[in-house]
Amino acid sequence: MPVRGSREGADLDEQTLLAPGAPPPGSFAGNGRGSHLLGGQRAAAVSTVSTVVFIGAVIALFVFAPGAAAVRHTFFNPQQMKQAFLGDPSKGLYSVGKGLILNIEMFLIAEVLILFCALVIAVLRQLRNPVLFPFRMLAVVYTDVFRGVPLIIVIYGIGFGAPALYIRGISTQSDFVYGIAALVLSYSAYVAEVYRAGINSVHQSQVAAARSLGLSQWKSLRFVVLPQAVRTVIPPLLNDFISLQKDTALVSTLGAVIEANRAAQIDSSTLFVYSSYTVAALLFLCLTIPLARFTDRLIARDVSRRLAGSGTVR
Amino acid sequence: MSEPDVTSGFGGPQLGGPQPGGPQLGGPAPAGQEAVRLEDVHKSFGDLEVLRGINLSVAPHKVICLIGASGSGKSTLLRCVNLLEPVNRGRILLWGQDVTAPGVDENAVRRHIGIVFQAFNLFPHMTVLRNITLGPTRVLGVARDEAEEAGHALLVRFGLSEKQDDYPDRLSGGQQQRVAIVRALAMKPGIMLLDEVTSALDPELVSEVLGVIRELAAAGMTMLIATHEMGFARDIADRVCFLDEGVILEEGPPRQVFTAPVNGRTQQFLRRIVDAGRL
Ligand SMILES: Nc1ncnc2c1ncn2[C@@H]1O[C@H](COP(=O)(O)OP(=O)(O)OP(=O)(O)O)[C@@H](O)[C@H]1O
Ligand SMILES: [Mg+2]
């Protein structure tokens, strides 16, 4: 039977129920199949014209804008673009192409570490074993803080803070390592939340079925809940990794800022302090932690609503 | 420590001895002992008191059917026996041991209880065979190939062997529920708890699942069954319990409960069922 109750359903009804010879032919021609075909051709023509006009307008903007020439010279200079890609050591220019490879390296290493760390954090937040309580608390605080503080501040905090500690093995790493550490710290907090959402999306009856076989909480998580959770979070995870790929570029600011600060120190002969970053981080936390708590409350309410009647086994 | 007690009571040689030709049904019952005994069991969800003093005993190799209106607490009772819900008051004894006592290893207890749910609850990311071998391999420590062999034998026995490499969503509801029963049986439980296992099925699929349960009963499996299928309960049960607002109002052999109920509310309940043409 055709669907009833919606406009579309009604249309469908009429069309499919129009047995041979029922209404006079043509009475529905206006919105029948013929006009649909016609509409297809017309739509194609319209979209072609509109695309041409749009692209033309964008090109015109570049060509006729008052500053067009300057923009073209600074952003789209073919000579400079080629030089930038290859690099020119004699002029102290680094190759952007090489930088990209470094970026990809950093991204891949960070991604593997993030996937692992985030999973550990998400699982820690899920296990209800009282022995693990302190770790659970730690995991909550960690996700709140690192979801709340902008990545750039984490990068500066580690890039400048770690060397300043003078701890052997920690304070003498390269910016590459500090960059990865900052990315992992920051992104693991987000990705842990994605995992957690995936875990919560697995219905409680699955947990009940697993536990009733005698599987421990950890084993039901590992064999029943996590495999299903990971499957559902793969698309949002990929999304986060696109963003991670871009954010690796922020790490490069470490080098530049160090140079600038060194200059500033020489200039004023006072110690350059990073306390302003700390203040900024704290202010951000004041804004984001309430938001995080609010989100948690919403999620908890949703989960308990779906839980009703299906038991409370974890 | 009460923990070793519990495991020794259930574990023991009965479990270690798998029977290749098919499961040994009826389980690890020391002869003559009650399989399950509930003593004054109370259970509340917040302010809602769902079980208000349940006393019930299930003898080995017997089938007890729980009947009663929707919301009377049948599912909750079964979940309490399986320790999926903690009780607020009272005791539950399995083969003479108090499993509601503090310090009991709930996983060790659940190993000996098979439960089948209304909505099947198969694991959708695993094949039928893997659904069945998960418990034996990960809980009982049975070797993978051994567990698969035993699982296959069970599937053959219940006419599901061609389905063993399919994923649950490829199966009909009746097949899924039979797989869920096999999954529980693969743990060689001493008792099976069935919670309205045919309620989610199309009418024409009900009989294949009831057939499996009849087969289990004939093989001597101890079962506690919550059901709305009154005809089935009358045929299969050794005893029928009428549950109403969290208490067992009437209990007896099916012939007595169904044809000569003593309690007024039981009479009322059964009359409504008869009027609806379901008995
Ligand atoms: N996890 C829970 N949280 C809160 N209330 C619950 C929960 N589980 C069950 N209840 C309530 O307990 C009461 C008994 O529920 P139960 O599922 O045991 O009834 P039932 O006899 O199995 O009913 P049905 O025949 O419909 O399956 C119902 O009022 C139900 O809403
Ligand atoms: Mg129920």
Side-chain angles (χ1 to χ4, degrees):
Chain A
M1 275 295 286
V3 194
R4 288 192 175 276
S6 71
R7 281 289 307 147
E8 277 173 352
D11 281 351
L12 202 79
D13 215 348
E14 281 162 3
Q15 287 189 1
T16 48
L17 291 184
L18 284 181
S27 62
F28 294 97
N31 47 8
R33 197 168 290 172
S35 77
H36 184 73
L37 260 181
L38 200 79
Q41 276 171 8
R42 250 185 54 198
V46 168
S47 65
T48 309
V49 170
S50 116
T51 308
V52 167
V53 169
F54 176 75
I55 290 176
V58 172
I59 290 173
L61 195 74
F62 265 94
V63 176
F64 299 115
V71 167
R72 253 179 295 150
H73 183 71
T74 43
F75 282 89
F76 297 99
N77 184 326
Q79 191 58 41
Q80 280 183 16
M81 282 167 92
K82 185 177 158 216
Q83 211 177 42
F85 184 75
L86 297 174
D88 188 350
S90 66
K91 289 187 192 168
L93 270 179
Y94 294 103
S95 150
V96 174
K98 246 190 220 151
L100 182 68
I101 290 172
L102 200 68
N103 171 299
I104 291 173
E105 265 173 34
M106 196 179 250
F107 163 72
L108 288 177
I109 296 173
E111 172 172 334
V112 170
L113 292 174
I114 290 165
L115 280 173
F116 177 76
C117 295
L119 187 61
V120 170
I121 293 159
V123 166
L124 270 181
R125 280 191 77 165
Q126 212 61 28
L127 293 177
R128 286 284 165 269
N129 188 332
V131 177
L132 295 173
F133 180 77
F135 295 97
R136 209 155 61 230
M137 278 318 296
L138 206 67
V140 172
V141 171
Y142 163 78
T143 40
D144 273 8
V145 167
F146 283 92
R147 269 193 306 169
V149 177
L151 176 59
I152 189 85
I153 292 182
V154 178
I155 289 174
Y156 289 171
I158 296 201
F160 306 142
L165 287 174
Y166 293 110
I167 299 174
R168 191 190 305 218
I170 291 184
S171 302
T172 52
Q173 301 293 337
S174 63
D175 283 356
F176 184 81
V177 172
Y178 292 141
I180 287 179
L183 290 170
V184 170
L185 271 175
S186 186
Y187 267 79
S188 293
Y190 287 101
V191 173
E193 288 301 287
V194 174
Y195 276 130
R196 212 157 66 90
I199 288 172
N200 285 331
S201 77
V202 176
H203 199 272
Q204 280 300 309
S205 62
Q206 287 287 308
V207 184
R211 296 303 306 270
S212 71
L213 286 174
L215 290 165
S216 64
Q217 196 194 19
W218 160 242
K219 282 182 178 172
S220 18
L221 202 56
R222 173 163 161 223
F223 296 117
V224 174
V225 177
L226 283 181
Q228 296 183 58
V230 167
R231 250 158 262 217
T232 56
V233 299
I234 283 174
L237 277 186
L238 290 178
N239 215 9
D240 275 354
F241 284 130
I242 291 171
S243 151
L244 170 66
Q245 163 82 66
K246 291 185 302 180
D247 280 351
T248 50
L250 288 176
V251 175
S252 66
T253 59
L254 268 182
V257 175
I258 284 175
E259 288 306 310
N261 290 344
R262 206 163 282 149
Q265 279 175 32
I266 294 163
D267 254 10
S268 60
S269 70
T270 56
L271 206 67
F272 194 89
V273 285
Y274 298 105
S275 300
S276 56
Y277 293 135
T278 310
V279 172
L282 289 176
L283 289 179
F284 270 106
L285 284 180
C286 290
L287 291 176
T288 51
I289 286 186
L291 193 62
R293 292 275 73 84
F294 177 67
T295 314
D296 280 354
R297 272 242 312 277
L298 281 188
I299 292 172
R301 213 176 60 185
D302 177 54
V303 167
S304 72
R305 197 175 291 156
R306 278 186 292 126
L307 219 81
S310 64
T312 48
V313 199
R314 284 245 140 212
Chain B
M1 282 287 282
S2 54
E3 221 167 284
D5 273 352
V6 168
T7 32
S8 69
F10 299 120
Q14 302 95 332
L15 267 188
Q19 313 286 304
Q24 181 194 25
L25 305 180
Q33 199 155 27
E34 285 167 320
V36 183
R37 182 183 178 82
L38 281 77
E39 293 176 357
D40 193 34
V41 167
H42 289 250
K43 171 69 190 174
S44 307
F45 294 108
D47 290 339
L48 181 68
E49 197 172 17
V50 178
L51 299 181
R52 300 183 299 147
I54 299 278
N55 292 289
L56 177 69
S57 106
V58 184
H61 311 296
K62 296 290 180 202
V63 176
I64 310 293
C65 281
L66 297 171
I67 60 171
S70 184
S72 55
K74 304 182 294 293
S75 300
T76 306
L77 194 160
L78 296 183
R79 296 175 66 92
C80 284
V81 172
N82 202 23
L83 308 185
L84 286 173
E85 301 284 359
V87 303
N88 298 118
R89 187 140 68 86
R91 301 201 303 166
I92 297 175
L93 301 147
L94 285 172
W95 295 284
Q97 287 181 52
D98 184 356
V99 296
T100 46
V104 167
D105 178 359
E106 52 187 25
N107 298 324
V109 173
R110 290 185 187 131
R111 241 173 257 175
H112 305 277
I113 306 174
I115 187 165
V116 183
F117 303 93
Q118 181 174 345
F120 328 140
N121 300 6
L122 293 177
F123 306 128
H125 60 298
M126 296 179 183
T127 64
V128 163
L129 189 60
R130 191 79 192 100
N131 262 277
I132 292 165
T133 57
L134 180 71
T137 53
R138 298 299 177 183
V139 177
L140 303 180
V142 177
R144 178 104 175 221
D145 48 355
E146 210 175 296
E148 288 186 347
E149 210 170 294
H152 178 74
L154 277 173
L155 287 170
V156 169
R157 180 166 167 193
F158 292 105
L160 290 159
S161 55
E162 335 76 271
K163 302 292 177 194
Q164 73 172 27
D165 296 321
D166 282 343
Y167 284 86
D169 61 2
R170 298 273 306 275
L171 273 55
S172 76
Q175 290 166 338
Q176 288 189 47
Q177 192 58 295
R178 278 147 65 205
V179 170
I181 294 173
V182 169
R183 177 174 70 180
L185 287 177
M187 295 293 288
K188 303 183 196 307
I191 182 170
M192 290 279 279
L193 311 176
L194 308 183
D195 189 4
E196 288 176 36
V197 293
T198 57
S199 298
L201 298 177
D202 291 337
E204 69 269 25
L205 300 177
V206 168
S207 67
E208 66 183 67
V209 172
L210 294 186
V212 169
I213 301 171
R214 284 203 170 87
E215 201 180 323
L216 293 183
M221 175 59 87
T222 312
M223 287 189 280
L224 186 53
I225 304 176
T227 185
H228 286 301
E229 299 279 341
M230 296 303 153
F232 171 71
R234 192 177 49 189
D235 289 353
I236 199 176
D238 293 300
R239 296 179 76 76
V240 173
C241 298
F242 174 64
L243 203 61
D244 186 62
E245 296 188 344
V247 288
I248 293 175
L249 274 190
E250 185 148 2
E251 178 181 358
R255 217 156 33 118
Q256 182 207 312
V257 175
F258 283 114
T259 54
V262 183
N263 190 286
R265 292 192 62 111
T266 321
Q267 294 166 359
Q268 205 181 0
F269 174 76
L270 289 172
R271 198 173 314 123
R272 242 180 294 139
I273 296 232
V274 171
D275 289 347
R278 283 167 51 208
L279 187 69

